Amino acid sequence: MAELDKDTLMAELKEMIVEECDTEVEADEIANDIRLVGEGLELDSLDALQISLAIKDKYGVRIEGGPDSREAMANVSSLADFIIKAKQAS
Amino acid sequence: MDRKAIPIIAASGIEYPANEEPDFKAQIKQVFGKQIRRIGPFIQMALIGAADSVRAAPLPEATNVYFTSGSGDMDVTIDVLHRTVRDRQIPKPLSFVNTVSNAACFYLTKYFSIGGSTSFVSTREFALESAFFQAMTDMSVLDVETALVGSVDILTTPDTTHRTRVGSAPAEELAQGSHWFRLARSDTSATPIGYLVDTSIFKDAGSLIDHLKPLLSANCFITFGNRADSSNSQKMINELGAQEYQAQKQPAGHYGTNCGQIFRDYLHREDTSASQLLYVQQNEQGHLSAVLLAKD
């Protein structure tokens, strides 16, 4: 896979979140730094699991449980950073 | 009216033939004033279909829900099976949780503020009949005062696979529908639109006739499900002295719980007062189910 551009990746992730979690907001309304789970986008743990499985399907990156995953799932920007870092390491 | 008959306070629902593609998301927004996330057509139809019955009169919190389906939420079940069996992947959680058909009851209780018990009740060929039977039993034996009895069956693609799954002949029209009935033993806030008099399952036509004959009035209509054997049907018409029911609005097509459309048709029309409606269906084993409704 070609090197991931963070802006492109974040746009893809926003589309993915809207589709997978059936959110009322549109992809372009999701700020890069808005909290995904809890306050912010108001997603829950089921949504987080749904997103992590979609990311594994599309990018081949596993988001395991633990502090790293919580940090990765904080917002779209951190999620993109996590995927880029994982792809670079593989 | 027979003292055991249970008043039906309201009946509501939706039904669509296979050539219509309703926008359930838009309907949900219209009914609830907002979107409800993470639900597919099966749960959307349950909520939309039940709304008018729930809102017909103030609904006691302690209402029980008896929900049924001929085929269940096949949409998400197929999705999960494709992912787990065909693709050998872990199922996605939002699909997986909705494979349990009772998931619809979670949303019904949440969005209609219902605090009673919820049950998903079914037998494949007598789905709505089973839900009525369970509700009637609980209301007679367990002092349940109010109940919401409903059904949903959805269309899935492709048509050919769907037909095989639901046991529909190639030329038969397909449809999907959601039908809801509000039963209340002692609710005086609304005038009953009819009564659930009896619902039972019989091993043959003879035992059905023996059981029902004493319950029937002189003005009784009878109608049959799509699997009812024609010789049995004629025997019942003759021996029960009932006249065949001509629905003003027939079911739009085949689906497991389309008898709900017949019940709603009967309960809502104005020219069937002081009458009864007997609906009889047959399963693959030749057993017969009967639902007897009545109107003042």
Side-chain angles (χ1 to χ4, degrees):
Chain A
M1 184 187 259
E3 195 171 313
L4 289 166
D5 168 71
K6 186 175 176 182
D7 286 339
T8 307
L9 180 56
M10 286 195 294
E12 289 177 2
L13 288 171
K14 290 173 188 176
E15 294 284 352
M16 178 188 285
I17 289 166
V18 169
E19 187 183 330
E20 295 290 337
C21 303
D22 194 20
T23 60
E24 267 199 80
V25 297
E26 299 293 332
D28 56 10
E29 294 172 328
I30 300 175
N32 296 337
D33 59 352
I34 191 170
R35 280 185 67 88
L36 297 180
V37 178
E39 280 181 34
L41 209 53
E42 297 186 339
L43 304 182
D44 60 20
S45 57
L46 264 183
D47 293 305
L49 188 54
Q50 184 87 0
I51 293 167
S52 68
L53 283 174
I55 285 171
K56 181 176 171 291
D57 285 352
K58 185 162 184 178
Y59 303 105
V61 172
R62 286 178 72 98
I63 302 175
E64 307 282 4
D68 287 349
S69 71
R70 280 199 291 277
E71 198 175 310
M73 279 287 190
N75 53 51
V76 172
S77 178
S78 61
L79 203 48
D81 288 337
F82 183 88
I83 294 168
I84 290 169
K85 195 174 164 187
K87 295 298 286 182
Q88 286 170 345
S90 64
Chain B
M1 190 56 54
D2 188 294
R3 67 183 175 82
K4 288 180 185 169
I6 296 179
I8 302 170
I9 298 302
S12 62
I14 51 173
E15 192 190 48
Y16 298 97
N19 61 1
E20 278 188 38
E21 291 184 18
D23 184 347
F24 292 128
K25 273 198 161 187
Q27 289 188 42
I28 285 284
K29 196 160 190 177
Q30 192 179 2
V31 171
F32 295 96
K34 61 179 180 179
Q35 289 292 0
I36 298 176
R37 291 202 303 128
R38 309 192 303 201
I39 58 173
F42 187 80
I43 298 173
Q44 286 166 337
M45 285 183 73
L47 290 166
I48 296 161
D52 284 345
S53 283
V54 170
R55 293 169 180 173
L59 186 72
E61 193 187 338
T63 298
N64 279 12
V65 178
Y66 300 88
F67 181 48
T68 189
S69 174
S71 304
D73 193 346
M74 289 307 299
D75 220 17
V76 292
T77 303
I78 292 165
D79 183 49
V80 167
L81 285 174
H82 278 171
R83 197 169 159 85
T84 52
V85 180
R86 185 187 66 189
D87 304 339
R88 296 176 179 233
Q89 297 291 319
I90 299 167
K92 287 189 175 176
L94 299 182
S95 301
F96 184 66
V97 294
N98 288 342
T99 56
V100 182
S101 294
N102 200 36
C105 290
F106 166 78
Y107 291 94
L108 286 162
T109 54
K110 179 175 179 182
Y111 287 94
F112 293 128
S113 303
I114 296 170
S117 302
T118 68
S119 308
F120 183 84
V121 187
S122 188
T123 56
R124 187 174 177 83
E125 289 129 326
F126 301 148
L128 192 49
E129 296 92 321
S130 301
F132 273 135
F133 179 84
Q134 190 61 51
M136 199 168 188
T137 303
D138 286 359
M139 293 182 85
S140 303
V141 177
L142 299 179
D143 291 334
V144 172
E145 292 292 324
T146 57
L148 202 55
V149 180
S151 65
V152 174
D153 271 300
I154 59 169
L155 286 159
T156 55
T157 54
D159 275 7
T160 47
T161 314
H162 184 77
R163 279 186 194 284
T164 306
R165 196 179 295 123
V166 300
S168 168
E172 199 171 22
E173 293 287 337
L174 293 170
Q176 56 187 345
S178 169
H179 306 285
W180 290 84
F181 305 88
R182 183 166 157 186
L183 311 181
R185 229 169 37 152
S186 59
D187 188 345
T188 54
S189 62
T191 307
I193 59 170
Y195 298 85
L196 176 61
V197 180
D198 193 66
T199 171
S200 305
I201 293 173
F202 306 92
K203 67 179 188 331
D204 55 35
S207 52
L208 181 148
I209 291 164
D210 289 345
H211 175 83
L212 286 170
K213 206 163 187 175
L215 301 177
L216 300 190
S217 66
N219 187 18
C220 182
F221 297 102
I222 188 166
T223 186
F224 300 93
N226 63 332
R227 286 182 296 273
D229 176 76
S230 57
S231 60
N232 263 346
S233 304
Q234 196 54 52
K235 182 180 177 185
M236 283 180 249
I237 290 169
N238 294 343
E239 297 203 21
L240 293 172
Q243 54 183 311
E244 276 199 82
Y245 181 69
Q246 304 296 329
Q248 285 181 333
K249 187 172 185 289
Q250 291 281 356
H254 176 83
Y255 53 99
T257 49
N258 64 2
C259 59
Q261 175 58 38
I262 303 276
F263 299 153
R264 289 203 293 123
D265 181 86
Y266 170 73
L267 291 167
H268 282 140
R269 62 194 285 182
E270 292 174 356
D271 60 351
T272 54
S273 57
S275 72
Q276 292 177 319
L277 175 71
L278 174 61
Y279 171 82
V280 179
Q281 177 62 300
Q282 186 169 336
N283 70 7
E284 285 181 355
Q285 290 74 44
H287 297 157
L288 298 160
S289 69
V291 174
L292 181 61
L293 303 180
K295 288 169 79 171
D296 285 329

